[in-house]
Amino acid sequence: VICGMKTAYTFAVPAFSRPLPERELLIENLGRIHRYHKIPERIVCLDYPAVEICVALGLGDRVVGISEAEGALEDCLPEYRDRISQIPMLPSKLSKRGVPSFETVRACPDLVFGTSYSFQTPFGVAEEEDFERLGIHIYALKATYILNSTFEDTYEDISNIGRIFGKEKQAKKLISLMREREQRLCRK
């Protein structure tokens, strides 16, 4: 139990190569508290929304692989497609179109980012615990594991990824642009 919370959390603590400025960072995701002591250097994205967020925040150079399991390049905003198309695709399991094997994914990242379905077997890559045992953080898009998700959940994901990578200003700017688009859509 943490700070009087009634929910028990599991802590994941991988080792990374670059320290976070002045403090460790705690991020809640998928019912777990993830403790970041360092900024992750290598990201594997298990779907296009995750890689789109990374590229929008200026993290495209850290994305070392993407899975085509969920979504398609055409689903991404045009301004990000060229950069995303340059990221290597992960080979998929023969039995699951687009879903890479755990062995492929675990080979290189500090952080694996995707939908919650990516972290559930038998249809995803592997269970959360499989990554955590190897010291690899996972981050699941909140809208994929809660009911009645809203734009606010997406904004929270963007903010959290910004905090993890020291890109808070970029995250705030992106969220502001998205809120403007949301308001324009609501007025129509």
Side-chain angles (χ1 to χ4, degrees):
V1 180
I2 302 168
C3 302
M5 292 187 281
K6 296 192 182 345
T7 305
Y9 288 97
T10 303
F11 284 87
V13 187
F16 300 116
S17 59
R18 197 168 120 208
L20 283 167
E22 301 177 12
R23 63 180 168 78
E24 73 177 4
L25 177 64
L26 301 177
I27 299 282
E28 187 279 327
N29 186 255
L30 260 179
R32 291 170 145 64
I33 300 291
H34 294 267
R35 185 175 299 196
Y36 292 85
H37 296 287
K38 312 266 183 194
I39 294 174
E41 295 291 327
R42 298 168 61 87
I43 310 165
V44 165
C45 293
L46 298 178
D47 63 21
Y48 281 95
V51 76
E52 189 173 21
I53 290 170
C54 289
V55 169
L57 293 178
L59 299 168
D61 60 327
R62 292 177 188 254
V63 180
V64 296
I66 180 172
S67 168
E68 62 182 344
E70 296 178 47
L73 182 61
E74 295 75 31
D75 297 332
C76 299
L77 289 174
E79 59 259 39
Y80 304 127
R81 288 181 192 159
D82 185 52
R83 179 64 185 104
I84 292 170
S85 70
Q86 297 170 22
I87 298 169
M89 296 301 293
L90 298 173
S92 61
K93 295 180 193 177
L94 295 176
S95 61
K96 299 177 185 176
R97 187 199 168 290
V99 178
S101 71
F102 180 57
E103 290 71 29
T104 299
V105 173
R106 75 181 190 158
C108 64
D110 301 317
L111 177 82
V112 178
F113 182 17
T115 66
S116 63
Y117 317 113
S118 300
F119 307 109
Q120 300 171 8
T121 53
F123 301 109
V125 174
E127 296 291 326
E128 306 153 48
E129 296 83 3
D130 296 326
F131 290 101
E132 291 169 354
R133 273 193 291 277
L134 295 172
I136 300 170
H137 276 296
I138 58 125
Y139 191 93
L141 294 163
K142 188 173 183 180
T144 64
Y145 67 88
I146 64 166
L147 294 174
N148 303 316
S149 65
T150 67
F151 285 119
E152 292 303 316
D153 300 311
T154 300
Y155 302 150
E156 181 180 331
D157 288 332
I158 293 167
S159 178
N160 283 340
I161 295 298
R163 290 173 56 216
I164 290 167
F165 287 94
K167 299 280 190 173
E168 292 93 336
K169 287 181 184 177
Q170 293 90 331
K172 285 180 184 178
K173 182 178 177 183
L174 179 58
I175 292 167
S176 177
L177 290 170
M178 291 176 69
R179 284 185 194 281
E180 288 173 17
R181 287 182 191 155
E182 177 187 0
Q183 288 171 357
R184 281 195 306 268
L185 287 171
C186 290
R187 285 191 293 254
K188 288 185 178 185

